[in-house]
Amino acid sequence: MAESSNQERRDFCLSSATCSRRSFALGMVAHAAAVILAAVVLYTAWPGSSLFSWHPTLMVIGYGLLMTEAILMFSPESSLMINAMRKSKVRFHWILQAGAVVCAVGGLMAIYLNKERMGKDHFVSWHGLIGVTTVVYSVVQSMGGINLLYPKLLKSWMTLAQLKMYHATFGLLGYALACGSLALGINSNWFSREVEGMLWVVCLCCPAILALVVMQQVTTAYLGRRIKI
């Protein structure tokens, strides 16, 4: 009995260590994917070269960098502030998220004004439709996140644990929309014309990697299980 119990503990420790190393590796891959995608888009768009250039620039900074790092902030294995207190992580989380929303709104305004200037129709492609949906969703979701800063306002409606779970769940949906919008943007005529070959494939894989890593983190933390990647 004792030997069996010790073996089970050793197996559990080995399994936990393996999962921790895998989560760390996936987190580092996500950080790298965010930086690579942002670097390629910024170099290609060359912000300031035209009104349109601000659309991909602000979108990739907002969703590809700031929002990604805001979510990975709470990763126990791959957070860039892994030793910081949770209070500090929460503060930087909402600061990064607020920056992401500001960038997203700015990116939407840039493409709207650019199409107005060129006399083109708005939101006629899947990229445009999902993109504007993502921006509106992000604004609403960020407003909902304010409730977590002041949980006493809703204490008669739901517990703090429920608030966190709902925020994480709906946040995951919003991030999935953001990654989908980024992927559609990479598949757009402009980006496909400017970036070709293996580099284009790498850029297309980046949003998928980000979405999978964030999905694994959120579901592990709030649903008590791991999504196999």
Side-chain angles (χ1 to χ4, degrees):
M1 294 279 295
E3 291 182 1
S4 176
S5 178
N6 289 335
Q7 183 62 41
E8 288 178 357
R9 281 198 292 269
R10 284 194 295 270
D11 291 343
F12 175 78
C13 290
L14 288 173
S15 176
S16 298
T18 300
C19 290
S20 180
R21 287 194 296 269
R22 186 182 68 171
S23 296
F24 172 78
L26 288 173
M28 292 301 104
V29 169
H31 289 302
V35 171
I36 290 171
L37 180 60
V40 174
V41 172
L42 289 175
Y43 179 80
T44 304
W46 206 255
S49 59
S50 65
L51 178 59
F52 169 80
S53 69
W54 289 109
H55 172 65
T57 295
L58 292 173
M59 288 303 187
V60 77
I61 290 175
Y63 288 129
L65 275 180
L66 298 182
M67 186 170 287
T68 298
E69 294 303 331
I71 298 172
L72 293 179
M73 183 73 63
F74 295 111
S75 172
E77 294 88 10
S78 57
S79 171
L80 296 181
M81 298 178 61
I82 196 168
N83 294 321
M85 296 178 61
R86 181 171 178 82
K87 184 177 181 180
S88 298
K89 291 183 179 181
V90 169
R91 183 181 298 112
F92 278 99
H93 172 78
W94 69 256
I95 290 174
L96 291 174
Q97 288 285 40
V101 172
V102 170
C103 286
V105 172
L108 178 63
M109 291 176 61
I111 192 62
Y112 185 90
L113 293 175
N114 186 68
K115 287 199 171 187
E116 280 288 304
R117 176 184 293 181
M118 300 181 67
K120 292 184 176 181
D121 294 330
H122 298 284
F123 315 125
V124 294
S125 65
W126 280 110
H127 175 58
L129 290 172
I130 294 180
V132 69
T133 301
T134 302
V135 174
V136 173
Y137 189 98
S138 299
V139 173
V140 175
Q141 171 68 6
S142 64
M143 293 175 65
I146 296 176
N147 294 322
L148 280 173
L149 297 177
Y150 308 99
K152 293 182 179 180
L153 296 176
L154 295 177
K155 65 179 181 179
S156 60
W157 293 82
M158 61 185 72
T159 65
L160 178 59
Q162 289 175 319
L163 272 174
K164 289 182 177 180
M165 185 184 68
Y166 291 140
H167 180 66
T169 302
F170 288 109
L172 177 58
L173 176 58
Y175 189 74
L177 283 172
C179 289
S181 183
L182 288 174
L184 289 171
I186 292 168
N187 199 44
S188 66
N189 292 331
W190 168 75
F191 195 81
S192 298
R193 183 176 61 251
E194 297 292 332
V195 179
E196 300 177 340
M198 186 55 65
L199 183 58
W200 182 88
V201 175
V202 170
C203 290
L204 186 62
C205 290
C206 286
I209 293 172
L210 296 177
L212 288 173
V213 172
V214 167
M215 186 183 301
Q216 190 252 9
Q217 175 183 317
V218 173
T219 53
T220 298
Y222 291 94
L223 299 183
R225 61 183 178 87
R226 287 184 183 273
I227 288 183
K228 301 298 181 180
I229 299 179

